[in-house]
Amino acid sequence: MGKQVQFVVLLIKAFIGRHKKEIGVGFLTGFFATLFLIQIYPVYLEIFGQKQLKIAYVGRVNELNLPLTIKNKISLGLTELLPSGEASPSLARSWKIENNGLNYTFSLLPDIYWQDGTKFTAKDVSYKLKGVNFAPADDYTLKVTLKDPYAPLPVILSQPLLKPNLIGLGLYKVTKVFYSGELISELRLEPLKKGLQPIVYKFYPSNGDAILAFKLGEVNMLENISTLEDLADWKNIKKTESALYDRLVGVFLNLRNPSFKEKEVRQALNYAMPLFGGLEKAYSPISPLSWAYSKNLRLYRSDPDAAKKILDKSPLASSSSELTISTYASLLDTAQLISDAWKKVGVNSKVKVESTIPSDYQVMVMTFIIPPDPDQYQFWQSTQEGTN
């Protein structure tokens, strides 16, 4: 055995001694070729390959509250919404309404398949709505019966249909889901149509965490970030600003709290609101794109002096009073701006980060998802006994 090892060693030494020039040239060629490939690979991907889009999304999500923007990539609803909020055909190619709005008949598209290969039929429509019964008449006809008339039903049925394990009917298929406890930390989507990029969604609890992930290269895109001040000096990034008309950030006052009993106090806090640079002010909980939006509104302008005069007579402005502004981590910066503005008009306030809406909050700063149905009676009428 020893002689065999010795023979192999001598053979290698002799080979290197005879071909050391060729070996050296080959090593250097391989080294520089590797460096060249590393440099050229991103360019190759840009031209010929499918670059993976890694998107940071701020929020705590699971399969039940997956953002609509993501669900719309994975699947389709019976209808889809136009920018005005009106329903148009999708999986349902048409529908008719009978019996004073109590009966709907939806005609479904044939030859539509789930991402697991099974055929989509009327039996797969799985919406669960109170007072609404879904009954397939045949594979491509769906009968819907309502207990009471509800005109926005086609709008509600724009919600994407999903099977368990996020199996859908859309242009993207979920290939992998990573969890952190009960929450989704990462979601991988593969396109089912040529020309679309693979997408990886990574979820972060706050803007700061998402921006840090971007700086570290964990993601290459930030989506729905309210501020990019930390990236102001970065010259190699592309920034696109857009108003999201399907949501607003609101300041909600708990009217069970005696401090907000007087209407003038609530108005004063409105007058004292700070200006949010680069953000569009919402004057109504109805989207400006909706057919039901009206410009005939009473607008509150920033007027700290008027706010201070009103609040000087309120217990809120006393030295012993303290107002707690509750919010989520993702809106901490926004809540702090509001707190600082209210302090300037004499209201001693502090910000508290919450994971859920506390039952005894004083002020809550939170995102309100604007429903496609402009009839929002159920959200704003506190003395309601039912909805219309």
Side-chain angles (χ1 to χ4, degrees), residues 7 19 26 60 99 139-140 144 165 184 243 312-313 318 358 387:
F7 173 77
H19 301 285
R60 302 175 184 272
N99 194 16
D139 282 352
Y140 304 113
V144 181
N165 301 318
I184 296 175
D312 280 344
K313 304 173 185 178
S318 66
T387 64

Side-chain angles (χ1 to χ4, degrees), residues 97-119:
I97 308 170
E98 299 171 309
N99 194 16
N100 295 320
L102 291 176
N103 299 106
Y104 286 73
T105 302
F106 289 87
S107 296
L108 308 185
L109 290 172
D111 302 322
I112 301 295
Y113 290 84
W114 291 95
Q115 292 160 355
D116 61 4
T118 59
K119 201 167 190 178

